Amino acid sequence: FASYYGDHMVLQKEPAGAVVWGYGEPGATVTVVLSEDSGLIVMKKMVRVKGPSGTWTTVLDPMDRGGPYVLTAGQGSENVTLRDIYFGDVWLCSGQSNMVMTVLQIANASRELAGAARYPYVRVFAVAPARSDVELEDLERLDLPWSIPTAENLGHGNFTYFSAVCWLLGRYLYEALGYPIGLVEAAWGGTPIEAWSSRRALRACGLPEDAGSPALASSISPHHQLSGPQTPSVLWNAMIHPLLNMTLRGVAWYQGEANTFLHTDLYNCTFPALIADWRRAFHDGSAGQTQPLLPFGFVQLSTYRRQSPDDSFARLRWHQTADLGVVPNARMPGTFMAVTMDLCDEHSPYGSIHPRDKQNVAHRLQLGARAVAYGEKELVFQGPYPTRAVLEVTRALLNLTYSQELACRQRDTRAFEVCCSAPCGWLPAPVVAVGSRTVTLALAGCGRLVLALRYAWAEWPCEYQSCALYNTRGLPAPPFL
């Protein structure tokens, strides 16, 4: 079997078929058998080993949720047997350090770790950090083979394994769905989106594929040269490409901090391009079993430095939605987003860029997953967003209508800003009234012309769980321009 199969794993349940692959003697026949613990054979597949790669691949018949099963691959007198296998939903979690943070590092860590044993059907697997200049067929190393969750393998150390956001997302989905969840972590701190992008995806955004190119070098701040795991495509090659045969149910992504100083204003291309490219690659790699519109959830950037005048975090949050403010949208169908700018943590021992409240992050992500990936129709999964703006010139007011009922937590004088002249000099637009679905802003300094409006456009736009606007379910209004 390929290196990411093992005892205790979860394979994707119906309606898809799980793909199983491994190695053998070129030309030989491998017999793959799935059986119940009792020994009763559920299915048998015969597959020929391809030359010269020495690999074989087969698609199992779609299986209902549950287990345990035994999976055996045999060639002649050689057999490999994997035990305690369940069928459920498999989610891939990827990104940089906020995805890498372990359960040991988050708020209420000891309670979370102590409770891990109550979830034996949420199985975890972690890819070891690795990079390659060429696309690899199999993983070089594992940090954690398929495992039943324990305090040790969920809190192995700081920024090692297992991902807190991934674990909590899986746990919440298990509580909502009631069947096994398999979690695959492939993440590396401090890495830009370019490292996770295939050369094909980089080309789609006009980016050079070679890290040494003058065009790439000239676009990076002099304090930040691309090397090691930051080099274009090296993490795609070593940590994602080897997984493409897997049948997946969805992806969770938490990345972007590294792109606040690299190609920030290209992220509105590089992120949609990565999503489209991963979807195509996983669909093709799994012989069409992973759905073409693979659900893709992501975490919008949290905060970093209070009072910072830099707007690169604000720009990147906007670009994470392909400049449309909310997802899913026309450029990013089948996606969902957790807004986290209100989960700031100035005193995090890991630095303010690493907030410890990952429970709310995962809670907001799983709402999106249940709505977008699992089709829960009435579920409110995102905060309120403005649907129209009407200018009252005579009273110098701007009336915004929102998509949902509003809960105003604080009258922040800086939350809304208007631009009245080109180029923009942004002025505060104080909130003078909040109705059930409306916000009225004062335009004292603006006269008759409003060219642009923005909300929560700052590196640190609000305090912990107290932004200006939420819906009645406690979900924050996302920033917009």
Side-chain angles (χ1 to χ4, degrees):
F1 289 104
S3 64
Y4 53 80
Y5 294 100
D7 295 341
H8 314 304
M9 70 180 168
V10 173
L11 292 173
Q12 182 58 43
K13 71 171 187 68
E14 52 76 34
V19 177
V20 181
W21 75 275
Y23 300 96
E25 285 294 321
T29 298
V30 172
T31 304
V32 180
V33 178
L34 183 74
S35 52
E36 294 180 357
D37 258 7
S38 64
L40 180 70
I41 292 177
V42 177
M43 75 179 80
K44 184 182 280 192
K45 301 280 181 181
M46 313 281 278
V47 59
R48 190 171 289 280
V49 181
K50 297 192 292 268
S53 64
T55 60
W56 55 267
T57 305
T58 189
V59 181
L60 301 183
D61 302 337
M63 291 289 295
D64 200 0
R65 64 196 192 185
Y69 293 96
V70 176
L71 188 65
T72 303
Q75 174 194 291
S77 60
E78 287 182 68
N79 279 307
V80 180
T81 300
L82 307 178
R83 302 182 187 281
D84 189 39
I85 290 164
Y86 281 78
F87 287 85
D89 281 346
V90 182
W91 282 78
L92 169 63
C93 302
S94 187
Q96 59 179 112
S97 55
N98 270 304
M99 182 61 89
V100 180
M101 275 179 85
T102 66
V103 182
L104 184 72
Q105 295 177 268
I106 63 173
N108 299 315
S110 53
R111 192 171 74 208
E112 296 288 358
L113 291 171
R118 296 203 308 271
Y119 299 93
Y121 303 112
V122 182
R123 304 289 172 87
V124 292
F125 172 93
V127 176
R131 59 183 195 262
S132 171
D133 292 331
V134 295
E135 293 180 338
L136 302 183
E137 295 309 310
D138 201 359
L139 298 170
E140 288 184 343
R141 291 187 305 116
L142 308 180
D143 266 345
L144 185 68
W146 278 108
S147 303
I148 295 170
T150 63
E152 166 63 20
N153 60 34
L154 291 185
H156 189 78
N158 290 347
F159 300 107
T160 50
Y161 55 88
F162 187 77
S163 163
V165 168
C166 194
W167 164 251
L168 292 165
L169 171 64
R171 206 190 84 192
Y172 296 157
L173 286 176
Y174 172 77
E175 288 168 350
L177 301 167
Y179 57 75
I181 300 288
L183 300 172
V184 176
E185 177 190 346
W188 192 332
T191 53
I193 195 169
E194 290 78 8
W196 297 100
S197 302
S198 73
R199 294 187 159 183
R200 187 174 52 217
L202 293 172
R203 275 199 302 272
C205 295
L207 276 171
E209 301 153 40
D210 175 19
S213 81
L216 194 64
S218 67
S219 65
I220 302 162
S221 79
H223 309 296
H224 191 81
Q225 288 307 310
L226 289 193
S227 60
Q230 298 163 332
T231 309
S233 300
V234 292
L235 305 185
W236 157 266
N237 290 341
M239 297 174 72
I240 301 300
H241 191 268
L243 302 176
L244 295 182
N245 287 0
M246 289 186 105
T247 309
L248 295 181
R249 185 66 182 85
V251 175
W253 173 260
Y254 194 158
Q255 190 278 334
E257 296 90 347
N259 286 97
T260 60
F261 45 72
L262 170 68
H263 296 151
T264 306
D265 293 321
L266 265 181
Y267 206 89
N268 57 9
C269 179
T270 50
F271 189 35
L274 176 137
I275 295 171
D277 188 64
W278 282 26
R279 282 172 169 164
R280 181 168 64 170
F282 275 99
H283 179 69
D284 292 349
S286 64
Q289 298 303 305
T290 296
Q291 61 195 70
L293 200 65
L294 175 66
F296 199 108
F298 64 95
V299 182
Q300 195 176 46
L301 285 195
S302 186
T303 52
Y304 182 21
R305 299 163 299 192
R306 187 196 292 274
Q307 307 295 340
S308 168
D310 192 330
D311 76 341
S312 60
F313 265 63
R315 296 196 331 266
L316 198 107
R317 288 187 199 111
W318 183 238
H319 297 329
Q320 284 179 294
T321 67
D323 302 353
L324 292 163
V326 285
V327 300
N329 60 47
R331 287 195 59 203
M332 298 172 67
T335 62
F336 53 95
M337 170 175 77
V339 176
T340 66
M341 64 184 179
D342 67 329
L343 302 180
C344 41
D345 186 358
E346 194 167 20
H347 304 295
S348 168
Y350 315 106
S352 60
I353 204 167
H354 298 121
R356 288 165 289 180
D357 179 356
K358 295 295 192 258
Q359 288 87 343
N360 265 307
V361 175
H363 170 69
R364 292 171 185 179
L365 263 185
Q366 65 93 27
L367 289 176
R370 285 164 56 195
V372 173
Y374 294 98
E376 283 193 40
K377 288 283 180 277
E378 302 305 313
L379 190 68
V380 176
F381 68 99
Q382 54 193 352
Y385 200 71
T387 53
R388 67 185 196 135
V390 177
L391 190 59
E392 280 189 66
V393 176
T394 52
R395 298 172 63 200
L397 299 175
L398 186 64
N399 294 304
L400 301 179
T401 303
Y402 272 81
S403 58
Q404 299 171 6
E405 201 168 327
L406 299 172
C408 180
R409 295 208 179 161
Q410 64 172 44
R411 290 286 177 91
D412 183 350
T413 54
R414 299 285 317 184
F416 290 92
E417 296 170 291
V418 287
C419 159
C420 317
S421 59
C424 274
W426 291 95
L427 298 170
V431 175
V432 292
V434 178
S436 74
R437 290 188 177 225
T438 58
V439 175
T440 302
L441 307 176
L443 304 175
C446 224
R448 291 170 171 268
L449 190 64
V450 178
L451 296 179
L453 169 71
R454 66 188 188 184
Y455 168 74
W457 201 265
E459 195 165 297
W460 191 289
C462 46
E463 293 311 307
Y464 184 71
Q465 293 199 323
S466 63
C467 285
L469 295 176
Y470 290 78
N471 64 15
T472 53
R473 307 289 177 92
L475 295 173
F480 68 79
L481 172 62

